[in-house]
Amino acid sequence: MITGYKAPRNHPLTQSQKLSKKALAAVRAPVEHGFAHLKNWRVLGKVRTDPGWATALVRALLVLTNREVAR
């Protein structure tokens, strides 16, 4: 798991830590937006099945959501 840096109270982040944090945020943002859109599909709260099938369902819903958002 990759996490960002958090500055201590009296010590600011270095320039490289700031750049690293910014790069991580840029990669993470589309994933977070995808999950936010998937939460609108309430079917995910009722999935009580094989994880492999649920993964396929989530992938399909994400494709549909991305196509809808791209319009």
Side-chain angles (χ1 to χ4, degrees):
M1 177 182 279
I2 300 171
T3 59
Y5 293 98
K6 184 175 179 183
R9 285 187 179 186
N10 299 327
H11 192 288
L13 293 177
T14 65
Q15 188 66 22
S16 61
Q17 288 174 329
K18 288 179 185 179
L19 288 174
S20 174
K21 192 172 178 176
K22 190 173 185 177
L24 179 62
V27 172
R28 203 168 148 185
V31 176
E32 295 289 336
H33 289 139
F35 281 123
H37 289 295
L38 284 174
K39 285 181 181 179
N40 290 330
W41 296 78
R42 297 185 189 271
V43 70
L44 294 178
K46 298 178 182 177
V47 173
R48 302 285 189 265
T49 185
D50 177 42
W53 185 84
T55 302
L57 174 66
V58 169
R59 285 180 180 162
L61 289 174
L62 186 57
V63 167
L64 292 172
T65 303
N66 284 339
R67 291 193 70 183
E68 183 178 318
V69 169
R71 280 200 258 170

